[in-house]
Amino acid sequence: MSENKYDLSQVEEQVVNENTPLFMIIYGKAGVAKSTVASMMGENVFFEDVEGTADKIQGIKRVSVDSFKDVAGWKNSIMKNDEYDTLVIDGFKKLEMMLEDEVATVLGRKEFSDHKYGDTYLKKRYIAHKFLQSILGRGKNLIIICHESEVEMIDESTDESYISIAPNIKDKELKVEIAGLADIVAHMEVHREEGKKIWKMDLTPYKGKVCKNRFDIEDPIKAESTKELVTELKTKIKDFYKKQGGVK
C-alpha cells in the first residue's frame, strides 16, 4: 500500500505546558459580541477579518482577506512580528470555503470534491492542522470566531429529538479535530435579566451544546459588559495556573 502523505498521524501533537499559548474558539449567533470579546483576549491583537465584520472594533490591527493565501501570508508576517501576542481569525465558515478553493487549486482540480479522488478532505485537514500548529508553535495566542449551527439530533436512550448547537464548521471531522486542539470552545449569547443586558459564556459541554475548557472553569460566566466577561475569564484561567503550579 502506498504511503498516504496527508496522514494526520504525521502531524505532531501539541506539547502542552506553562508556556503553551491559548487556543480558543468562540462561537454564537451574529451580534453577541464574539469579535469584541476576542479583541480583548490579548495585549496586542491582530485581526484577520475574513467576513468583514470587525471594522468597528478599536485598538486592534485589522486586515481584510480574500483568499487562503492572504490568510496564510498575513499569518506568516505576524509570526515574525513580536509586537503582536494574539492572532484572531474572524469567520471560520468563509475561511473553510477559502481553504477548499486552495486545495482544489493545489491539486489541479476545477472544484473541491471527493467524488472521483478521495483525497481532497485529507489534504484539507492536513493543511488546516499545519496552519494552526504553525501559529501555536510560535507562542502566539489564537482565537477563532465561528457562527453557530443547529442540528436536530436523536437521543438513543429515549428516542427523543433535541437541537445540538455547535461551531459552524462544515467538515465534521475537521470540527472534532480543531476542537481537540483547542483549550477553550466557548458558546456566547446575550439576553436580558431583570431588565439588564447580560453577556453569557458557556464553557462546559452538555447535551445540546458543544463546549470545552481545559481550565476546570465553573460556568456559565455572566457579566453586564464584554469587558467584565473577559476579565472574569482571564482571572479564572490565572487561578487555574496558580492551583496547578503554573502547569497547564
Side-chain angles (χ1 to χ4, degrees):
M1 182 179 293
S2 62
E3 180 183 0
N4 179 3
K5 63 181 178 180
Y6 304 136
D7 183 357
L8 289 176
S9 66
Q10 303 300 316
V11 181
E12 295 180 1
E13 289 291 328
Q14 178 77 12
V15 178
V16 181
N17 56 40
E18 67 273 16
N19 298 314
T20 304
L22 176 69
F23 177 18
M24 182 175 183
I25 299 170
I26 304 174
Y27 77 101
K29 293 182 179 179
V32 298
K34 301 184 296 295
S35 300
T36 301
V37 167
S39 73
M40 294 187 282
M41 288 302 298
E43 295 298 324
N44 293 290
V45 178
F46 190 96
F47 249 77
E48 293 207 46
D49 192 2
V50 181
E51 293 194 344
T53 57
D55 56 315
K56 296 181 180 180
I57 296 177
Q58 303 296 316
I60 61 169
K61 171 67 176 179
R62 170 188 168 273
V63 294
S64 296
V65 290
D66 299 314
S67 69
F68 187 76
K69 284 186 176 180
D70 284 348
V71 175
W74 279 110
K75 182 268 295 181
N76 291 337
S77 296
I78 296 307
M79 293 306 101
K80 300 173 184 177
N81 191 332
D82 293 334
E83 178 183 356
Y84 300 101
D85 66 344
T86 302
L87 173 63
V88 176
I89 298 177
D90 193 348
F92 194 88
K93 181 179 180 180
K94 191 172 181 180
L95 176 66
E96 190 174 11
M97 295 170 62
M98 292 177 179
L99 177 56
E100 290 181 353
D101 289 341
E102 177 68 12
V103 169
T105 300
V106 168
L107 296 177
R109 296 166 191 165
K110 293 182 179 180
E111 61 182 11
F112 181 87
S113 173
D114 256 357
H115 179 63
K116 293 182 180 179
Y117 306 100
D119 61 349
T120 50
Y121 277 98
L122 288 173
K123 178 68 170 177
K124 173 184 172 183
R125 293 163 193 158
Y126 180 84
I127 292 176
H129 268 264
K130 296 295 284 187
F131 175 80
L132 296 175
Q133 292 188 336
S134 68
I135 299 169
L136 300 173
R138 295 296 295 271
K140 305 285 187 181
N141 299 322
L142 174 62
I143 315 293
I144 291 178
I145 299 174
C146 302
H147 290 298
E148 68 178 50
S149 62
E150 297 184 356
V151 179
E152 186 175 5
M153 306 289 287
I154 301 295
D155 187 330
E156 294 181 358
S157 63
T158 64
D159 288 331
E160 294 181 354
S161 64
Y162 65 95
I163 299 298
S164 176
I165 301 174
N168 190 7
I169 300 175
K170 181 178 68 175
D171 185 331
K172 293 180 180 180
E173 289 190 29
L174 183 61
K175 182 189 302 186
V176 172
E177 291 160 3
I178 291 176
L181 288 172
D183 299 299
I184 293 175
V185 179
H187 178 262
M188 275 194 64
E189 60 184 78
V190 60
H191 59 271
R192 289 193 173 275
E193 292 183 8
E194 298 179 354
K196 296 180 180 179
K197 196 173 185 179
I198 301 294
W199 280 266
K200 176 187 172 189
M201 182 178 284
D202 287 309
L203 304 170
T204 302
Y206 60 89
K207 180 179 176 180
K209 190 172 291 185
V210 174
C211 296
K212 173 187 178 183
N213 84 83
R214 287 180 173 164
F215 303 103
D216 298 329
I217 298 172
E218 293 186 9
D219 66 338
I221 299 175
K222 294 183 179 181
E224 294 182 18
S225 71
T226 52
K227 184 176 181 179
E228 290 176 3
L229 188 79
V230 171
T231 298
E232 181 71 11
L233 176 60
K234 287 182 174 180
T235 298
K236 289 179 180 294
I237 292 174
K238 287 181 180 178
D239 289 344
F240 174 84
Y241 280 126
K242 288 179 182 179
K243 291 178 182 178
Q244 300 295 320
V247 178
K248 207 173 191 177

